[in-house]
Amino acid sequence: MQIVREPTEAIPESSLKGKTLLLPFILICTLFFLWGMVQNLDGILIPHLKKACQLNNRQSTLIDTAIFLAYFLMAIPAGMLLKKFGYKNSIIIGLLLATIGAALFIPAANTMAYTGFLGALFILGCGIAILETAANPYSAILGDPAGATTRLNLAAAFNGLAAFVAPLVGAIFILSGKEYTANQLKAMPDASRSAYLLHEASSVKLPYGVLAGTLAVIAVLFFFAKLPEVKNVSKEPSAGGSLFGALRHRHLSMAVVAQFFYVGAQVCVTSFFIRMAKQGAGFDEKTAGYYLAIYGFLFMGGRFIGTFFLQFIKSYKLLSIYSVIAVLLCAIAILGKGAYVVYCLGAIGFFMSIMFPTIFALGIDGIGDDTKSGSSWLIMSIVGGAVIPYIMATVIDLNGDQIQIGYIIPLLCFLVVLYFGMSGYKIRKSLI
């Protein structure tokens, strides 16, 4: 399909009001939900494919590496797409690419090829990287600038909804609840062992097939919808929209660093949640999956409640408060014992909820024509989700497969976010 630029000129944000913005905002919210489904299925996919493909901790975190590395590699091309084709057509390209990635789960499951799963996840990640690069700034500038952070957090609340729905879907349709030790698998006849592993791998086909179909339908809706292109208002001298010139804004540069560590922390907590629930609380696989859904529910609730609090509390202050609480909860998770350790992880989900959209909105605040390039940098920083979990897995493997000790990594990440909320967010003299 040939992508054609919109024939109309960009519309100043001040001229867009009321009903003109309602349908575009609703469609944007669906994107937040869809990429939330992709990201939050990873918490199920990692322990599941670890079992189905017989992987160690570090190998299993390559699932995170594949999808979040795609963010890093695709962020700059995504910014170029935004400049060339605008928000709407870039979103359609991202949806189509994500559709292909989700559909490739079916042949990967049929062949039981772990590299096939990683390839599918990488393509899927490229698609949602484009979606995030376009949708995050678009939701922020789609209306009154004073409400940008609130608007972005409201849209991101639907990403939080996916954090609840995705683990629930995964627990029901992907996790079988059948687990065998290494010795039990070795004792099985070859045919029985192969049949068991193939059945485990094949359980991903239905949810990812449905995801592919949904992404395709949403792409069609965007094709026929009328979305305005909105100009940005600058509070600082612009670098003319150049990629590296955008980093002259010190607060944007600090936001990129904070986002790298925040995303790494979030992925660590989610990816190792089921293993923590099994090892720390003695839960079985299915029960651990349902607790992951509760964690997602708290994450979702935190987005909505955080959006409410932002009406009364400055966004940087709320970010700082939540960061301190997340640090304390990580410390309890590391030092504590029993089921309440899992409850602490659920609470971390609540207090992480507003961090990504708040860092994003503070990072692109007042950078004018550099907004699209700044968005690319902030999406590129999501590569933290590829790097930090592997570091955590290495810490765990080097400490006798003890999951709890690994949570020192997200604790340190939240300290970086705390610094951004206390100082790094401030709009100061340009770096260059």
Side-chain angles (χ1 to χ4, degrees):
M1 178 176 63
Q2 184 179 4
I3 305 297
V4 182
R5 292 196 66 175
E6 295 294 326
T8 57
E9 294 182 356
I11 304 172
E13 56 189 24
S14 60
S15 68
L16 295 173
K17 296 181 180 180
K19 294 181 179 180
T20 305
L21 302 176
L22 181 60
L23 180 58
F25 188 71
I26 290 173
L27 287 173
I28 291 298
C29 287
T30 67
L31 300 181
F32 278 79
F33 178 79
L34 287 171
W35 78 61
M37 288 295 293
V38 172
Q39 293 171 345
N40 289 284
L41 277 172
D42 279 4
I44 294 290
L45 204 60
I46 287 174
H48 182 71
L49 291 184
K50 183 178 185 295
K51 175 177 63 173
C53 299
Q54 300 293 284
L55 311 170
N56 62 30
N57 285 309
R58 277 174 281 192
Q59 289 171 329
S60 69
T61 61
L62 292 178
I63 290 171
D64 286 328
T65 301
I67 196 164
F68 289 105
L69 182 62
Y71 276 92
F72 178 75
L73 296 177
M74 199 64 198
I76 293 177
M80 294 177 178
L81 282 174
L82 277 176
K83 289 181 183 179
K84 185 173 180 61
F85 298 117
Y87 288 106
K88 174 181 173 178
N89 291 327
S90 296
I91 287 170
I92 293 172
I93 293 170
L95 284 166
L96 294 177
L97 196 57
T99 299
I100 294 170
L104 287 174
F105 264 72
I106 295 174
N110 289 336
T111 58
M112 292 184 61
Y114 186 51
T115 54
F117 286 116
L118 295 180
L121 282 165
F122 180 79
I123 295 171
L124 186 53
C126 287
I128 64 175
I130 296 173
L131 296 182
E132 289 215 41
T133 304
N136 276 294
Y138 192 63
S139 61
I141 65 177
L142 198 62
D144 182 1
T149 301
T150 299
R151 197 160 46 248
L152 186 51
N153 271 280
L154 179 59
F158 291 89
N159 183 269
L161 176 62
F164 168 64
V165 174
L168 197 60
V169 169
I172 294 172
F173 295 103
I174 295 179
L175 298 179
S176 67
K178 297 178 181 178
E179 299 183 81
Y180 299 100
T181 65
N183 290 332
Q184 288 174 325
L185 285 173
K186 288 180 181 178
M188 284 183 182
D190 290 344
S192 298
R193 181 171 59 253
S194 297
Y196 164 72
L197 295 177
L198 179 60
H199 179 267
E200 292 294 319
S202 296
S203 65
V204 303
K205 291 194 290 187
L206 176 61
Y208 278 91
V210 171
L211 178 62
T214 303
L215 288 163
V217 169
I218 298 298
V220 172
L221 292 178
F222 267 94
F223 181 77
F224 288 105
K226 293 182 179 180
L227 270 67
E229 282 291 322
V230 186
K231 288 183 178 179
N232 309 110
V233 177
S234 179
K235 296 180 184 177
E236 286 191 295
S238 172
S242 68
L243 181 66
F244 288 97
L247 294 178
R248 66 188 294 152
H249 306 285
R250 183 183 183 278
H251 68 288
L252 171 63
S253 300
M254 296 304 300
V256 170
V257 174
Q259 204 73 289
F260 176 90
F261 284 99
Y262 163 69
V263 174
Q266 180 188 340
V267 175
C268 283
V269 173
T270 305
S271 296
F272 288 94
F273 187 99
I274 287 180
R275 299 242 15 241
M276 174 72 106
K278 290 167 62 179
Q279 188 181 96
F283 296 160
D284 61 75
E285 182 182 66
K286 279 278 190 181
T287 301
Y290 291 130
Y291 268 86
L292 180 59
I294 294 172
Y295 157 87
F297 179 80
L298 291 171
F299 187 90
M300 174 188 68
R303 281 272 167 90
F304 285 103
I305 294 172
T307 301
F308 172 77
F309 284 157
L310 285 169
Q311 306 297 315
F312 311 100
I313 304 174
K314 296 291 187 181
S315 57
Y316 63 88
K317 289 183 180 179
L318 192 63
L319 179 65
S320 299
I321 293 168
Y322 276 22
S323 298
V324 170
I325 297 172
V327 167
L328 295 175
L329 288 170
C330 278
I332 296 172
I334 294 167
L335 300 173
K337 295 181 180 180
Y340 76 88
V341 171
V342 178
Y343 305 152
C344 284
L345 298 187
I348 290 173
F350 179 91
F351 291 105
M352 285 193 301
S353 59
I354 59 110
M355 291 184 181
F356 183 93
T358 301
I359 293 170
F360 199 105
L362 288 170
I364 64 172
D365 182 29
I367 65 174
D369 290 339
D370 294 322
T371 297
K372 290 179 180 179
S373 295
S375 178
S376 290
W377 282 109
L378 286 164
I379 295 303
M380 190 159 44
S381 69
I382 292 176
V383 74
V387 176
I388 305 296
Y390 190 84
I391 295 173
M392 182 173 174
T394 301
V395 171
I396 292 169
D397 283 340
L398 293 176
N399 286 274
D401 201 36
Q402 295 299 311
I403 305 297
Q404 281 179 270
I405 192 64
Y407 276 86
I408 188 66
I409 302 301
L411 184 152
L412 296 173
C413 292
F414 288 128
L415 288 175
V416 177
V417 176
L418 174 61
Y419 172 76
F420 177 76
M422 294 180 68
S423 177
Y425 75 92
K426 295 178 181 178
I427 300 177
R428 297 171 179 167
K429 186 178 180 179
S430 299
L431 289 175
I432 55 176

